[in-house]
Amino acid sequence: MESFPVISLENINGAERAAILEKINEACEKWGFFELVNHGIEPEFMDTVERLTKAHYRKCMEQRFKELVASRALEGIQTEVNDMDWESTFYVRHLPQSTINEVPDLDEEYRKVMKEFALKLEKLAEELLDLLCENLGLEKGYLKKVFHGANGPTFGTKVSNYPPCPKPDLIKGLRAHTDAGGIILLFQDDKVSGLQLLKDGQWIDVPPLRHSIVVNLGDQIEVITNGKYKSVEHRVISQTDGEGRMSLASFYNPGSDAVIYPAPALLEKEAEKKQVYPKFVFEDYMKLYVPLKFQAKEPRFEAMKAVETNVNLGPIATA
């Protein structure tokens, strides 16, 4: 079996650009996932993010998880739990307006570091979107413009800890799903594995690598590329021992009013391939996605086709 794609961006602006772009394209087409090293975010800074994230969990969230989830979730169960996840989370929105000052219990150092981390990830996400444009033959900035809507993209980070679980065969850390949005950048624990993706009918481990950023594509990239790139089902497996697994998943998504549809330039380039994905407003897709997150994506696309209206495509329709 092919090995999981690990890609270095070290010479992306040098002589190796074409080779790196080809690796990214192949990963997008075959995996929907890849892992970046030498991505420009300083290792020492990532160590600080990890240290503060784990300290915050121990200080502010661990006991709460034990009281609210761990003590009740598995009481007397004998069959697999399908309506909850074995995770402790909080969410910070960065764009269009930051909510970091509203998140309780964050100390000032952690707040400051998270703001800085968000800026670095936003920059990396936009660089990656332009690399995807280059591979797809779309003009530079096309994906960013599609995502923009009236008020810019939606960007936020889900901070998760997956504590040791006494019955990992009965409850997942996070149930299988595809991500609704655009491009997802994950900083995960390098000592504890658990993230898996579904490829060719088999669950494959995403290797934990120190200071790497795991990238995966959401449903909106699948729509815009008319299926050339696809979002991929993934899950988190619970672990029985150790300190638990840390995960910071940052979602660079379209703005709520952004109109999503297959890129006309791609449809023109592949004249024999008809448009197979619907046109919709991202907010409408999210209303459908939230209650159906842990179900297959295809019925969501079909449902959006059924309600597809003559949405105004705006000035970038032929970009």
Side-chain angles (χ1 to χ4, degrees), residues 52-57 59-61 64 89-94 98-115 157 159 161 248:
L52 294 174
T53 298
K54 290 183 174 180
H56 175 264
Y57 173 72
K59 179 182 176 184
C60 302
M61 301 183 74
R64 197 180 314 158
T89 69
F90 68 92
Y91 182 80
V92 181
R93 190 176 69 229
H94 312 303
S98 175
T99 61
I100 193 151
N101 292 325
E102 300 164 24
V103 179
D105 303 326
L106 299 187
D107 63 40
E108 282 311 305
E109 182 186 13
Y110 192 26
R111 230 179 273 273
K112 180 183 175 187
V113 165
M114 285 293 283
K115 284 181 184 177
T157 299
V159 181
N161 281 273
L248 291 90

Side-chain angles (χ1 to χ4, degrees), residues 114-174:
M114 285 293 283
K115 284 181 184 177
E116 190 176 346
F117 192 39
L119 290 172
K120 293 175 185 289
L121 289 169
E122 180 187 352
K123 178 173 179 282
L124 179 58
E126 291 179 350
E127 287 173 358
L128 287 169
L129 287 177
D130 277 343
L131 295 179
L132 297 192
C133 285
E134 192 169 339
N135 275 333
L136 292 163
L138 299 171
E139 70 172 8
K140 184 175 181 179
Y142 178 82
L143 288 171
K144 187 179 173 185
K145 280 192 282 185
V146 170
F147 280 23
H148 192 275
N151 301 304
T154 305
F155 183 48
T157 299
K158 178 188 174 189
V159 181
S160 305
N161 281 273
Y162 298 94
C165 177
K167 296 184 179 179
D169 54 324
L170 296 182
I171 187 167
K172 299 285 186 295
L174 182 59

Side-chain angles (χ1 to χ4, degrees), residues 26 30 142 229:
E26 186 174 339
K30 293 184 176 180
Y142 178 82
Y229 297 163

Side-chain angles (χ1 to χ4, degrees), residues 176-179 198 219 222 231-233 285 288-289 291-303:
H177 64 287
T178 64
D179 290 324
L198 188 63
D219 295 348
E222 180 168 338
S231 59
V232 169
E233 204 171 336
Y285 186 83
L288 185 70
Y289 174 86
L292 302 174
K293 174 178 178 177
F294 299 109
Q295 297 180 28
K297 63 185 173 182
E298 289 80 10
R300 297 197 293 264
F301 293 144
E302 289 304 313

